[in-house]
């Protein structure tokens, strides 16, 4: 299978990195709620709940909690599921493909997570696609790069314990 | 395969009808551009162009033209493709799953088209899902029921010539 990556730098935010855990563990970390809760939200926030119905149209929901107890409930819709290779979800749709806006104040985006065996590790790609430059830039200012990078560090650290 | 239909009357518009052409012809009429051009837009408008990349994330584009020559270019994203059973597409996403707004002034919706063998014909279901009651009601006032019903009449008439 070939997974073509169409990245438009004006509209997209991209994180690419080689990590030293295999694709199967990265996949499990992304698709099993018990694992997602261990890494998804950059510390000192925590992921206190997660719900995943792993099929096209299924729910991808996380609840993030700040040290002060503020909670953010984030509901998205899964779009494409290729085990150990590709996971796509969006906050532009609610579960069941119903149009909807994110439940918190984030620019609307679709996330495409790609993983590819690379030696004993994984070439990991996370792409966030936006409808226009304003959305992309707002997401950038919110700290996409640091946030998703730090979350990936947490994913790798957790995967090594799995 | 079971295709569950989740319809919320406050948010959705629904067309259900039994038609006297088999699911395979309804499917072909919906998924092959040469056929779509024959029925998709209620007369006296015409469908003058159509582009379909029949895979999840692929384009579903139609161009409608009024008798006076006004053209409307409608671009959506295919989500789920189950031959002879189920077709799902949305105008909340552009091809490749990028968030985006419709290219013309229509409430944002996701369409789910279901077909099921019924005697020698098809039980046909078209569901338009919206994010809120305002969108649903605006789509209703634009003539969803008459428009989609008239298009279905055209689909059936065309399918009988296929």
């Amino acid at each position: 299978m070939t997974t073509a990556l169409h990245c438009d730098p004006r509209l997209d935010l991209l994180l690419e990195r080689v990590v030293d855990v295999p694709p199967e563990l990265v996949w499990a970390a992304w698709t099993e709620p018990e694992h997602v809760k261990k890494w998804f939200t950059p510390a000192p926030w925590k992921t206190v709940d997660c719900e995943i119905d792993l099929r096209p149209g299924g729910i991808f929901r996380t609840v993030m909690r700040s040290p002060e107890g503020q909670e953010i409930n984030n509901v998205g819709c899964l779009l494409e599921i290729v085990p150990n290779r590709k996971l796509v979800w969006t906050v532009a749709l609610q579960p069941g493909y119903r149009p909807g806006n994110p439940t918190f104040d984030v620019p609307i985006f679709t996330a495409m997570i790609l993983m590819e065996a690379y030696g004993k590790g994984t070439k990991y790609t996370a792409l966030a696609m936006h409808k226009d430059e304003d959305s992309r830039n707002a997401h950038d200012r919110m700290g996409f790069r640091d946030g998703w990078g730090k979350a990936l560090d947490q994913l790798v650290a957790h995967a090594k314990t799995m």
Side-chain angles (χ1 to χ4, degrees), chain A:
Chain A
M1 192 196 67
T2 301
T3 301
L5 181 68
H6 300 287
C7 176
D8 181 337
R10 293 177 309 113
L11 302 177
D12 300 335
L13 293 166
L14 180 66
L15 173 70
E16 289 182 298
R17 201 193 295 174
V18 172
V19 297
D20 61 349
V21 291
E24 293 72 18
L25 288 187
V26 177
W27 181 259
W30 257 105
T31 56
E32 297 175 24
E34 287 313 303
H35 294 313
V36 172
K37 285 194 262 185
K38 301 290 189 184
W39 67 268
F40 192 74
T41 310
W45 286 61
K46 290 182 177 171
T47 312
V48 293
D49 198 8
C50 175
E51 182 182 359
I52 298 174
D53 181 9
L54 199 61
R55 59 184 178 86
I59 194 170
F60 186 86
R61 183 175 75 88
T62 53
V63 179
M64 304 185 277
R65 184 186 291 160
S66 76
E68 296 75 31
Q70 182 194 352
E71 289 199 353
I72 294 177
N73 183 37
N74 180 15
V75 179
C77 180
L78 289 162
L79 296 172
E80 215 175 307
I81 293 146
V82 185
N84 306 324
R85 289 284 302 178
K86 184 183 190 183
L87 186 70
V88 184
W89 53 276
T90 189
V91 297
L93 300 174
Q94 297 295 294
Y97 304 123
R98 181 181 300 286
N101 294 328
T103 44
F104 70 108
D105 187 27
V106 68
I108 294 175
F109 68 97
T110 295
M112 183 175 294
I113 312 297
L114 303 175
M115 51 213 81
E116 195 178 327
Y118 191 90
K120 291 181 179 172
T122 301
K123 186 184 168 207
Y124 179 91
T125 303
L127 180 71
M129 296 183 279
H130 308 82
K131 73 173 177 178
D132 55 30
E133 294 180 56
D134 284 351
S135 291
R136 180 232 176 254
N137 294 341
H139 204 179
D140 195 22
R141 284 192 302 272
M142 284 176 67
F144 168 87
R145 202 163 303 272
D146 279 0
W148 287 46
K150 192 168 177 181
L152 179 58
D153 291 339
Q154 296 177 174
L155 183 157
V156 171
H158 174 65
K160 290 178 176 174
T161 72
M162 281 162 64

